[in-house]
Amino acid sequence: MTKPVPCPPAPCPLEEYAARFDDLFTRVAQRRGFREYLAGLLAPRDRNKTLTALAGAEPVAGAQHPAVQRLQFFLSESRWDAEQVNSRRLELLLADPVTAPHGGGVLVIDDSGDRKDGTRTAHVGHQWLGRYGKTDNGVVTVTTVWADERLYYPVDAVPYTPAKHFAKGKSDPAFRTKLAIGAELAARARAAGFTFRAVAADSAYGDQDGFRGELAEAGLPFVMALKPRRGTWAYGPDAHTPVDAARALDWDGPDDPGDWRPVTRTFRDGHTETWYAADATLGWWGPDGLTRLVVATADPGTLPDKATWYLAANLPRPGSPREADSPHPAASLAEVTRIYGIRHWTEQTYKQVKDELGWADFQVRSDVAIRRHQALVNCAFSFCWAAWFADHPAQPDAASPRPGPGRGERGAARRRTAVGAVLAAGAARGPRLAFPLDRAAALVERMVQGAPAPAVASPDQLRRRRLRPAPLHPELTNYR
Protein backbone atom coordinates (compact mmCIF):
# COMPACT_ATOMS: atom_id res chain seq x y z
CA MET A 1 0.00 0.00 0.00
CA THR A 2 1.34 3.43 -0.97
CA LYS A 3 2.33 5.56 1.99
CA PRO A 4 0.19 8.73 2.24
CA VAL A 5 1.90 11.92 1.12
CA PRO A 6 2.49 14.08 4.20
CA CYS A 7 0.66 17.37 4.44
CA PRO A 8 1.52 20.54 6.38
CA PRO A 9 1.04 19.55 10.03
CA ALA A 10 -1.42 21.25 12.35
CA PRO A 11 -0.05 22.62 15.63
CA CYS A 12 0.45 19.84 18.17
CA PRO A 13 -1.61 18.23 19.69
CA LEU A 14 -4.23 18.88 17.01
CA GLU A 15 -1.88 17.16 14.61
CA GLU A 16 -1.77 14.06 16.82
CA TYR A 17 -5.57 13.88 16.76
CA ALA A 18 -5.98 14.66 13.05
CA ALA A 19 -3.34 12.11 12.03
CA ARG A 20 -5.61 9.32 13.26
CA PHE A 21 -8.01 10.12 10.42
CA ASP A 22 -5.43 10.34 7.63
CA ASP A 23 -6.17 6.94 6.13
CA LEU A 24 -9.78 8.03 5.48
CA PHE A 25 -8.61 10.74 3.07
CA THR A 26 -7.07 9.71 -0.23
CA ARG A 27 -5.54 13.08 -1.17
CA VAL A 28 -3.07 15.32 0.58
CA ALA A 29 -5.46 18.24 -0.05
CA GLN A 30 -8.18 16.40 1.88
CA ARG A 31 -5.90 15.80 4.86
CA ARG A 32 -4.86 19.44 4.83
CA GLY A 33 -8.50 20.53 4.56
CA PHE A 34 -9.44 18.38 7.54
CA ARG A 35 -6.77 20.04 9.68
CA GLU A 36 -7.61 23.55 8.52
CA TYR A 37 -11.32 23.05 9.11
CA LEU A 38 -10.83 21.77 12.66
CA ALA A 39 -8.39 24.57 13.45
CA GLY A 40 -10.90 27.13 12.21
CA LEU A 41 -13.71 25.64 14.30
CA LEU A 42 -11.52 25.72 17.41
CA ALA A 43 -10.44 29.34 16.90
CA PRO A 44 -11.95 32.06 19.12
CA ARG A 45 -15.36 33.09 17.90
CA ASP A 46 -15.21 36.67 16.62
CA ARG A 47 -18.02 36.14 14.09
CA ASN A 48 -20.10 33.35 12.63
CA LYS A 49 -17.88 30.47 11.60
CA THR A 50 -18.56 30.54 7.91
CA LEU A 51 -15.89 29.32 5.50
CA THR A 52 -14.34 32.79 5.31
CA ALA A 53 -14.11 32.91 9.10
CA LEU A 54 -12.59 29.41 9.27
CA ALA A 55 -9.92 30.47 6.76
CA GLY A 56 -9.35 33.83 8.47
CA ALA A 57 -10.45 35.80 5.41
CA GLU A 58 -12.54 38.95 5.02
CA PRO A 59 -16.24 37.94 4.93
CA VAL A 60 -17.19 39.45 1.52
CA ALA A 61 -14.22 40.00 -0.77
CA GLY A 62 -12.36 37.21 0.98
CA ALA A 63 -14.77 34.61 -0.37
CA GLN A 64 -12.52 34.23 -3.43
CA HIS A 65 -9.37 33.76 -1.40
CA PRO A 66 -7.58 30.49 -2.28
CA ALA A 67 -7.76 29.26 1.33
CA VAL A 68 -11.53 29.78 1.38
CA GLN A 69 -11.97 28.07 -1.97
CA ARG A 70 -9.94 25.08 -0.72
CA LEU A 71 -12.24 24.68 2.27
CA GLN A 72 -15.30 25.11 0.05
CA PHE A 73 -14.10 22.33 -2.24
CA PHE A 74 -13.15 20.12 0.72
CA LEU A 75 -16.62 20.48 2.24
CA SER A 76 -18.78 20.28 -0.88
CA GLU A 77 -16.92 18.60 -3.73
CA SER A 78 -14.05 16.49 -2.40
CA ARG A 79 -14.56 12.73 -2.21
CA TRP A 80 -14.60 11.57 1.41
CA ASP A 81 -17.21 9.91 3.59
CA ALA A 82 -18.58 11.76 6.63
CA GLU A 83 -19.91 8.50 8.08
CA GLN A 84 -16.44 6.99 8.04
CA VAL A 85 -15.02 10.06 9.77
CA ASN A 86 -17.68 9.90 12.46
CA SER A 87 -17.14 6.16 12.91
CA ARG A 88 -13.41 6.75 13.41
CA ARG A 89 -14.18 9.46 15.97
CA LEU A 90 -16.38 7.03 17.88
CA GLU A 91 -13.73 4.30 17.69
CA LEU A 92 -11.25 6.68 19.33
CA LEU A 93 -13.73 7.51 22.09
CA LEU A 94 -14.45 3.82 22.68
CA ALA A 95 -10.75 2.91 22.78
CA ASP A 96 -9.72 5.62 25.24
CA PRO A 97 -10.28 4.51 28.87
CA VAL A 98 -11.17 8.03 29.98
CA THR A 99 -13.97 8.43 27.43
CA ALA A 100 -15.10 4.83 26.94
CA PRO A 101 -18.82 4.42 27.71
CA HIS A 102 -19.93 2.32 30.67
CA GLY A 103 -23.16 0.89 32.00
CA GLY A 104 -23.80 3.83 34.31
CA GLY A 105 -24.07 6.36 31.49
CA VAL A 106 -27.13 7.61 29.65
CA LEU A 107 -27.87 7.88 25.93
CA VAL A 108 -29.79 11.11 25.34
CA ILE A 109 -31.99 11.52 22.27
CA ASP A 110 -33.02 15.01 21.22
CA ASP A 111 -33.39 17.24 18.20
CA SER A 112 -32.30 20.80 17.55
CA GLY A 113 -33.42 23.29 14.93
CA ASP A 114 -31.56 26.20 13.38
CA ARG A 115 -32.93 28.99 11.22
CA LYS A 116 -32.06 28.90 7.54
CA ASP A 117 -33.48 31.19 4.87
CA GLY A 118 -34.65 30.11 1.44
CA THR A 119 -36.09 26.87 0.13
CA ARG A 120 -33.22 25.25 -1.78
CA THR A 121 -31.12 24.07 1.14
CA ALA A 122 -31.41 20.34 1.86
CA HIS A 123 -33.70 19.47 4.81
CA VAL A 124 -34.97 23.06 5.16
CA GLY A 125 -38.65 23.60 5.91
CA HIS A 126 -41.18 25.52 7.98
CA GLN A 127 -41.05 23.55 11.21
CA TRP A 128 -40.73 23.79 14.97
CA LEU A 129 -37.33 25.07 16.08
CA GLY A 130 -36.89 24.32 19.76
CA ARG A 131 -33.84 26.57 20.07
CA TYR A 132 -36.04 29.58 19.28
CA GLY A 133 -39.27 28.29 20.77
CA LYS A 134 -41.30 28.87 17.61
CA THR A 135 -42.13 27.55 14.17
CA ASP A 136 -39.87 29.01 11.51
CA ASN A 137 -37.90 28.17 8.39
CA GLY A 138 -34.93 26.04 9.31
CA VAL A 139 -33.10 22.71 9.51
CA VAL A 140 -33.72 20.22 12.33
CA THR A 141 -31.18 17.56 13.27
CA VAL A 142 -31.85 14.54 15.49
CA THR A 143 -28.91 13.78 17.76
CA THR A 144 -27.75 11.21 20.29
CA VAL A 145 -25.39 12.14 23.12
CA TRP A 146 -23.66 9.77 25.52
CA ALA A 147 -23.20 11.24 29.00
CA ASP A 148 -22.54 10.51 32.63
CA GLU A 149 -21.92 12.92 35.50
CA ARG A 150 -18.32 13.39 34.34
CA LEU A 151 -18.44 14.10 30.61
CA TYR A 152 -20.59 13.99 27.52
CA TYR A 153 -20.09 13.85 23.77
CA PRO A 154 -22.23 13.51 20.63
CA VAL A 155 -22.59 10.07 19.11
CA ASP A 156 -24.62 10.51 15.92
CA ALA A 157 -26.46 13.30 14.14
CA VAL A 158 -28.97 12.88 11.29
CA PRO A 159 -30.85 15.80 9.70
CA TYR A 160 -34.62 15.42 9.56
CA THR A 161 -36.10 15.89 6.08
CA PRO A 162 -39.63 17.41 6.02
CA ALA A 163 -42.30 15.64 4.00
CA LYS A 164 -42.39 18.38 1.34
CA HIS A 165 -39.02 17.17 0.03
CA PHE A 166 -40.55 13.80 -0.99
CA ALA A 167 -42.69 13.13 -4.02
CA LYS A 168 -45.42 11.39 -1.99
CA GLY A 169 -45.06 13.45 1.16
CA LYS A 170 -45.45 11.49 4.37
CA SER A 171 -46.58 8.47 2.34
CA ASP A 172 -43.23 8.26 0.59
CA PRO A 173 -41.26 5.12 1.61
CA ALA A 174 -38.14 7.23 2.14
CA PHE A 175 -39.81 9.63 4.59
CA ARG A 176 -38.85 9.16 8.24
CA THR A 177 -40.18 10.99 11.24
CA LYS A 178 -37.90 12.41 13.92
CA LEU A 179 -39.13 9.67 16.22
CA ALA A 180 -38.13 6.96 13.75
CA ILE A 181 -34.70 8.56 13.30
CA GLY A 182 -34.21 8.76 17.07
CA ALA A 183 -35.09 5.10 17.61
CA GLU A 184 -32.74 4.08 14.80
CA LEU A 185 -29.89 6.13 16.28
CA ALA A 186 -30.38 4.53 19.70
CA ALA A 187 -30.13 1.06 18.19
CA ARG A 188 -27.13 2.16 16.14
CA ALA A 189 -25.32 3.42 19.24
CA ARG A 190 -25.79 0.11 21.00
CA ALA A 191 -24.59 -1.79 17.94
CA ALA A 192 -21.47 0.41 17.83
CA GLY A 193 -20.55 -0.67 21.35
CA PHE A 194 -21.99 2.15 23.45
CA THR A 195 -23.30 0.79 26.72
CA PHE A 196 -25.67 2.83 28.86
CA ARG A 197 -28.08 2.49 31.75
CA ALA A 198 -31.03 3.85 29.81
CA VAL A 199 -32.15 6.03 26.93
CA ALA A 200 -33.40 9.43 28.09
CA ALA A 201 -35.48 12.01 26.24
CA ASP A 202 -37.81 14.90 26.93
CA SER A 203 -41.59 14.91 26.59
CA ALA A 204 -41.48 15.50 22.81
CA TYR A 205 -40.36 11.85 22.58
CA GLY A 206 -41.66 10.45 25.86
CA ASP A 207 -45.27 11.34 25.08
CA GLN A 208 -45.23 9.15 21.97
CA ASP A 209 -46.43 5.61 22.69
CA GLY A 210 -45.05 4.35 19.39
CA PHE A 211 -41.57 5.67 20.10
CA ARG A 212 -41.39 4.08 23.53
CA GLY A 213 -42.72 0.88 21.98
CA GLU A 214 -39.94 0.86 19.36
CA LEU A 215 -37.29 1.20 22.05
CA ALA A 216 -38.88 -1.53 24.17
CA GLU A 217 -39.14 -3.83 21.16
CA ALA A 218 -35.45 -3.25 20.46
CA GLY A 219 -34.64 -4.26 24.04
CA LEU A 220 -33.56 -0.78 25.10
CA PRO A 221 -34.28 0.59 28.60
CA PHE A 222 -35.66 4.13 28.78
CA VAL A 223 -36.52 6.96 31.15
CA MET A 224 -38.52 9.69 29.40
CA ALA A 225 -40.40 12.78 30.46
CA LEU A 226 -44.13 13.20 30.04
CA LYS A 227 -46.15 16.38 29.85
CA PRO A 228 -47.99 16.95 33.15
CA ARG A 229 -51.38 16.88 31.48
CA ARG A 230 -50.82 14.16 28.92
CA GLY A 231 -54.22 12.49 28.96
CA THR A 232 -54.88 8.77 28.91
CA TRP A 233 -57.93 6.57 29.19
CA ALA A 234 -59.00 5.59 32.69
CA TYR A 235 -62.17 4.87 34.63
CA GLY A 236 -64.08 7.89 35.88
CA PRO A 237 -62.69 8.24 39.42
CA ASP A 238 -59.12 7.25 38.42
CA ALA A 239 -56.31 9.57 37.40
CA HIS A 240 -56.35 10.67 33.76
CA THR A 241 -53.07 12.63 33.61
CA PRO A 242 -49.63 12.33 35.25
CA VAL A 243 -50.32 15.33 37.47
CA ASP A 244 -53.59 13.75 38.62
CA ALA A 245 -51.69 10.56 39.47
CA ALA A 246 -49.14 12.58 41.47
CA ARG A 247 -51.84 14.41 43.42
CA ALA A 248 -53.44 11.09 44.35
CA LEU A 249 -50.32 10.07 46.29
CA ASP A 250 -50.32 10.49 50.06
CA TRP A 251 -48.28 13.40 51.41
CA ASP A 252 -48.48 14.90 54.90
CA GLY A 253 -45.22 16.82 54.95
CA PRO A 254 -41.54 15.88 55.31
CA ASP A 255 -42.14 14.26 58.68
CA ASP A 256 -44.83 12.00 57.23
CA PRO A 257 -44.06 11.64 53.49
CA GLY A 258 -46.59 8.86 52.89
CA ASP A 259 -46.02 7.43 49.38
CA TRP A 260 -43.03 9.68 48.70
CA ARG A 261 -39.38 8.88 49.34
CA PRO A 262 -36.64 11.52 49.83
CA VAL A 263 -33.97 11.77 47.15
CA THR A 264 -30.87 13.86 47.80
CA ARG A 265 -29.59 15.71 44.78
CA THR A 266 -26.08 17.14 44.97
CA PHE A 267 -25.15 20.06 42.73
CA ARG A 268 -21.77 21.01 41.35
CA ASP A 269 -21.42 24.11 43.52
CA GLY A 270 -21.54 21.84 46.57
CA HIS A 271 -25.07 22.47 47.82
CA THR A 272 -27.68 19.73 48.12
CA GLU A 273 -31.43 19.67 47.74
CA THR A 274 -33.88 17.11 49.04
CA TRP A 275 -36.39 16.11 46.41
CA TYR A 276 -39.07 13.48 46.72
CA ALA A 277 -39.89 10.68 44.29
CA ALA A 278 -42.70 8.15 44.11
CA ASP A 279 -44.18 5.46 41.90
CA ALA A 280 -47.64 6.53 40.74
CA THR A 281 -50.46 4.71 38.97
CA LEU A 282 -51.94 5.97 35.70
CA GLY A 283 -54.18 3.67 33.67
CA TRP A 284 -52.22 0.47 33.07
CA TRP A 285 -48.99 2.11 34.22
CA GLY A 286 -47.94 1.33 37.75
CA PRO A 287 -45.09 0.29 40.07
CA ASP A 288 -45.25 -3.32 38.86
CA GLY A 289 -46.40 -2.71 35.27
CA LEU A 290 -44.39 -2.91 32.08
CA THR A 291 -44.11 0.88 32.28
CA ARG A 292 -43.62 2.78 35.51
CA LEU A 293 -44.74 6.33 36.15
CA VAL A 294 -42.19 7.95 38.43
CA VAL A 295 -42.78 11.46 39.76
CA ALA A 296 -39.82 13.43 41.14
CA THR A 297 -40.39 16.87 42.62
CA ALA A 298 -38.97 19.44 44.98
CA ASP A 299 -42.35 19.82 46.73
CA PRO A 300 -44.99 17.03 46.62
CA GLY A 301 -47.51 19.42 48.17
CA THR A 302 -47.52 21.95 45.32
CA LEU A 303 -45.80 20.07 42.45
CA PRO A 304 -44.07 23.19 41.05
CA ASP A 305 -43.96 23.20 37.25
CA LYS A 306 -40.23 23.90 36.94
CA ALA A 307 -39.16 21.47 39.67
CA THR A 308 -41.33 18.42 38.95
CA TRP A 309 -40.58 15.59 36.53
CA TYR A 310 -43.14 13.05 35.32
CA LEU A 311 -41.14 10.10 33.99
CA ALA A 312 -42.10 6.98 32.06
CA ALA A 313 -39.60 4.14 32.58
CA ASN A 314 -39.45 0.46 31.69
CA LEU A 315 -36.84 -0.27 34.39
CA PRO A 316 -38.48 -2.54 37.00
CA ARG A 317 -38.93 -1.50 40.61
CA PRO A 318 -36.61 -3.30 43.05
CA GLY A 319 -38.53 -6.18 44.60
CA SER A 320 -41.33 -6.10 42.05
CA PRO A 321 -42.66 -9.27 40.37
CA ARG A 322 -41.14 -8.05 37.09
CA GLU A 323 -37.60 -7.84 38.38
CA ALA A 324 -36.73 -11.52 37.88
CA ASP A 325 -37.92 -11.65 34.27
CA SER A 326 -36.89 -8.16 33.15
CA PRO A 327 -33.93 -7.87 30.74
CA HIS A 328 -32.94 -4.68 32.55
CA PRO A 329 -31.59 -4.32 36.10
CA ALA A 330 -34.02 -2.87 38.62
CA ALA A 331 -33.83 0.86 39.29
CA SER A 332 -34.72 2.60 42.53
CA LEU A 333 -36.52 5.93 42.61
CA ALA A 334 -33.19 7.63 43.21
CA GLU A 335 -31.66 5.90 40.18
CA VAL A 336 -34.52 6.88 37.87
CA THR A 337 -34.19 10.48 39.05
CA ARG A 338 -30.42 10.38 38.48
CA ILE A 339 -30.83 9.06 34.93
CA TYR A 340 -33.18 11.82 33.86
CA GLY A 341 -31.02 14.45 35.54
CA ILE A 342 -28.17 13.49 33.21
CA ARG A 343 -30.42 14.23 30.21
CA HIS A 344 -29.77 17.92 30.70
CA TRP A 345 -26.25 17.45 29.37
CA THR A 346 -27.75 17.73 25.90
CA GLU A 347 -28.74 21.34 26.57
CA GLN A 348 -25.12 22.05 27.45
CA THR A 349 -24.08 20.34 24.21
CA TYR A 350 -26.05 22.83 22.18
CA LYS A 351 -24.34 25.74 23.92
CA GLN A 352 -20.92 24.43 22.96
CA VAL A 353 -21.44 23.19 19.42
CA LYS A 354 -23.69 26.11 18.44
CA ASP A 355 -22.28 29.04 20.40
CA GLU A 356 -18.60 28.06 20.19
CA LEU A 357 -17.98 25.57 17.40
CA GLY A 358 -20.32 26.91 14.71
CA TRP A 359 -22.77 24.03 14.32
CA ALA A 360 -25.37 26.20 12.55
CA ASP A 361 -23.00 28.54 10.71
CA PHE A 362 -22.68 26.49 7.53
CA GLN A 363 -23.45 28.25 4.23
CA VAL A 364 -23.86 25.21 2.02
CA ARG A 365 -26.99 23.70 0.53
CA SER A 366 -26.32 20.07 -0.27
CA ASP A 367 -27.12 17.19 2.06
CA VAL A 368 -23.56 15.87 1.76
CA ALA A 369 -21.97 19.18 2.74
CA ILE A 370 -24.30 19.67 5.72
CA ARG A 371 -23.57 16.20 7.08
CA ARG A 372 -19.85 16.74 6.58
CA HIS A 373 -19.94 20.02 8.48
CA GLN A 374 -21.76 18.38 11.38
CA ALA A 375 -19.28 15.49 11.46
CA LEU A 376 -16.36 17.94 11.54
CA VAL A 377 -17.93 19.96 14.37
CA ASN A 378 -18.32 16.74 16.37
CA CYS A 379 -14.66 15.91 15.70
CA ALA A 380 -13.63 19.33 17.03
CA PHE A 381 -15.84 18.75 20.08
CA SER A 382 -14.27 15.37 20.79
CA PHE A 383 -10.78 16.82 20.35
CA CYS A 384 -11.59 19.27 23.16
CA TRP A 385 -12.09 16.36 25.55
CA ALA A 386 -8.92 14.65 24.29
CA ALA A 387 -6.97 17.83 24.99
CA TRP A 388 -8.56 18.18 28.43
CA PHE A 389 -7.78 14.65 29.55
CA ALA A 390 -4.23 14.94 28.25
CA ASP A 391 -3.65 17.38 31.11
CA HIS A 392 -6.00 15.58 33.55
CA PRO A 393 -4.90 11.92 33.60
CA ALA A 394 -7.06 9.16 35.03
CA GLN A 395 -6.88 8.30 38.70
CA PRO A 396 -8.06 5.21 40.61
CA ASP A 397 -11.74 5.01 41.44
CA ALA A 398 -10.83 5.19 45.13
CA ALA A 399 -10.84 8.96 44.79
CA SER A 400 -14.64 8.81 44.63
CA PRO A 401 -15.93 6.64 47.52
CA ARG A 402 -19.24 4.89 47.18
CA PRO A 403 -22.07 6.67 49.04
CA GLY A 404 -22.84 5.14 52.41
CA PRO A 405 -26.05 5.11 54.47
CA GLY A 406 -27.36 8.54 55.26
CA ARG A 407 -25.08 10.31 52.76
CA GLY A 408 -27.73 10.71 50.12
CA GLU A 409 -28.08 9.69 46.52
CA ARG A 410 -24.61 10.82 45.45
CA GLY A 411 -22.51 10.87 48.57
CA ALA A 412 -21.18 13.78 50.56
CA ALA A 413 -20.91 17.20 48.96
CA ARG A 414 -17.52 18.16 47.63
CA ARG A 415 -15.68 21.21 48.89
CA ARG A 416 -15.98 24.21 46.65
CA THR A 417 -12.79 25.32 44.92
CA ALA A 418 -11.84 28.26 42.79
CA VAL A 419 -12.55 28.37 39.09
CA GLY A 420 -9.75 28.68 36.61
CA ALA A 421 -9.78 31.37 33.96
CA VAL A 422 -11.91 30.65 30.91
CA LEU A 423 -9.32 32.01 28.51
CA ALA A 424 -5.87 30.47 28.38
CA ALA A 425 -3.05 32.56 29.77
CA GLY A 426 0.72 32.37 29.57
CA ALA A 427 3.11 30.90 27.06
CA ALA A 428 2.84 27.47 25.54
CA ARG A 429 4.48 24.65 27.47
CA GLY A 430 7.06 23.51 24.97
CA PRO A 431 7.97 24.19 21.32
CA ARG A 432 4.46 24.33 19.85
CA LEU A 433 1.68 26.81 19.21
CA ALA A 434 -0.52 27.45 22.24
CA PHE A 435 -3.80 27.91 20.38
CA PRO A 436 -5.10 24.37 19.65
CA LEU A 437 -4.60 22.84 23.10
CA ASP A 438 -5.23 25.95 25.16
CA ARG A 439 -8.33 26.90 23.20
CA ALA A 440 -9.69 23.36 23.48
CA ALA A 441 -9.03 23.26 27.23
CA ALA A 442 -10.76 26.61 27.63
CA LEU A 443 -13.79 25.31 25.77
CA VAL A 444 -13.98 22.26 28.03
CA GLU A 445 -13.66 24.52 31.07
CA ARG A 446 -16.83 26.23 29.90
CA MET A 447 -18.49 22.98 28.90
CA VAL A 448 -18.39 21.54 32.38
CA GLN A 449 -19.79 24.68 34.02
CA GLY A 450 -23.26 23.23 33.54
CA ALA A 451 -22.47 19.62 34.32
CA PRO A 452 -24.57 17.36 36.54
CA ALA A 453 -23.10 16.58 39.92
CA PRO A 454 -20.67 13.65 40.14
CA ALA A 455 -22.01 10.29 41.20
CA VAL A 456 -20.64 6.79 41.59
CA ALA A 457 -22.34 4.07 39.58
CA SER A 458 -23.71 1.06 41.39
CA PRO A 459 -21.97 -2.35 41.18
CA ASP A 460 -24.34 -3.58 38.46
CA GLN A 461 -23.38 -0.62 36.27
CA LEU A 462 -19.60 -0.70 36.37
CA ARG A 463 -17.07 -3.49 36.53
CA ARG A 464 -15.18 -3.63 39.79
CA ARG A 465 -11.64 -2.32 39.97
CA ARG A 466 -12.16 -0.20 36.86
CA LEU A 467 -10.01 2.92 36.80
CA ARG A 468 -12.01 6.10 36.43
CA PRO A 469 -10.68 9.54 35.52
CA ALA A 470 -10.62 12.16 38.22
CA PRO A 471 -13.75 14.33 38.21
CA LEU A 472 -13.62 17.55 36.27
CA HIS A 473 -13.53 20.95 37.92
CA PRO A 474 -16.20 21.01 40.70
CA GLU A 475 -17.05 24.73 40.44
CA LEU A 476 -20.15 24.34 38.29
CA THR A 477 -23.54 25.96 37.92
CA ASN A 478 -26.85 24.51 39.05
CA TYR A 479 -29.02 22.56 36.68
CA ARG A 480 -32.48 21.05 36.62
Side-chain angles (χ1 to χ4, degrees), residues 382-466:
S382 297
F383 166 72
C384 290
W385 283 115
W388 171 270
F389 284 120
D391 280 352
H392 298 75
Q395 295 182 4
D397 194 38
S400 299
R402 182 167 297 152
R407 293 178 58 193
E409 178 188 7
R410 304 183 183 186
R414 297 177 182 270
R415 179 172 298 178
R416 186 169 181 167
T417 57
V419 183
V422 172
L423 296 179
R429 295 182 299 277
R432 60 175 175 79
L433 295 181
F435 141 67
L437 175 59
D438 296 336
R439 173 60 178 167
L443 285 176
V444 173
E445 186 82 10
R446 298 177 64 178
M447 286 179 194
V448 299
Q449 287 182 3
V456 179
S458 59
D460 62 330
Q461 298 165 348
L462 293 175
R463 297 188 301 271
R464 293 184 178 181
R465 301 185 182 90
R466 174 174 180 168

Side-chain angles (χ1 to χ4, degrees), residues 40-50 112-114 131-132 152 346-361 373 377 381 384 422 439 443 446-447:
L41 293 172
L42 291 165
R45 186 183 180 93
D46 296 326
R47 55 190 170 96
N48 285 355
K49 293 190 175 180
T50 59
S112 177
D114 304 288
R131 179 174 172 83
Y132 304 95
Y152 69 102
T346 193
E347 307 298 338
Q348 188 74 5
T349 309
Y350 296 147
K351 294 179 183 178
Q352 301 307 320
V353 300
K354 292 177 183 292
D355 298 340
E356 296 290 348
L357 298 178
W359 175 270
D361 292 347
H373 172 79
V377 170
F381 188 94
C384 290
V422 172
R439 173 60 178 167
L443 285 176
R446 298 177 64 178
M447 286 179 194

Side-chain angles (χ1 to χ4, degrees), residues 14 17-18 21 24-25 34 37-38 41-42 80 82 84-90 92-93 154 353 357 359 372-386:
L14 181 59
Y17 183 79
F21 296 81
L24 303 180
F25 302 106
F34 180 70
Y37 209 99
L38 293 187
L41 293 172
L42 291 165
W80 57 277
Q84 291 182 357
V85 170
N86 191 62
S87 295
R88 176 62 53 82
R89 178 182 67 88
L90 298 182
L92 296 176
L93 291 169
V353 300
L357 298 178
W359 175 270
R372 286 177 171 179
H373 172 79
Q374 293 176 345
L376 293 169
V377 170
N378 286 341
C379 284
F381 188 94
S382 297
F383 166 72
C384 290
W385 283 115

Side-chain angles (χ1 to χ4, degrees), residues 240-425:
H240 289 73
T241 65
V243 69
D244 292 339
R247 289 171 178 164
L249 297 170
D250 292 334
W251 168 257
D252 293 317
D255 296 332
D256 186 11
D259 295 323
W260 298 85
R261 297 292 178 266
V263 176
T264 301
R265 301 187 61 211
T266 303
F267 292 79
R268 281 284 187 166
D269 64 359
H271 87 280
T272 61
E273 292 183 6
T274 298
W275 278 35
Y276 292 87
D279 276 295
T281 299
L282 178 64
W284 56 89
W285 293 358
D288 298 330
L290 294 177
T291 301
R292 296 167 63 188
L293 173 61
V294 174
V295 184
T297 180
D299 184 1
T302 61
L303 299 175
D305 291 341
K306 294 185 178 181
T308 303
W309 301 336
Y310 304 92
L311 308 174
N314 64 345
L315 299 172
R317 177 180 61 86
S320 72
R322 286 189 54 233
E323 182 177 6
D325 298 329
S326 174
H328 314 301
S332 65
L333 294 171
E335 175 71 357
V336 173
T337 304
R338 180 193 78 89
I339 290 171
Y340 190 72
I342 294 177
R343 190 211 75 84
H344 298 281
W345 260 129
T346 193
E347 307 298 338
Q348 188 74 5
T349 309
Y350 296 147
K351 294 179 183 178
Q352 301 307 320
V353 300
K354 292 177 183 292
D355 298 340
E356 296 290 348
L357 298 178
W359 175 270
D361 292 347
F362 61 84
Q363 291 183 331
V364 290
R365 291 182 174 179
S366 70
D367 168 70
V368 170
I370 292 174
R371 291 175 187 263
R372 286 177 171 179
H373 172 79
Q374 293 176 345
L376 293 169
V377 170
N378 286 341
C379 284
F381 188 94
S382 297
F383 166 72
C384 290
W385 283 115
W388 171 270
F389 284 120
D391 280 352
H392 298 75
Q395 295 182 4
D397 194 38
S400 299
R402 182 167 297 152
R407 293 178 58 193
E409 178 188 7
R410 304 183 183 186
R414 297 177 182 270
R415 179 172 298 178
R416 186 169 181 167
T417 57
V419 183
V422 172
L423 296 179

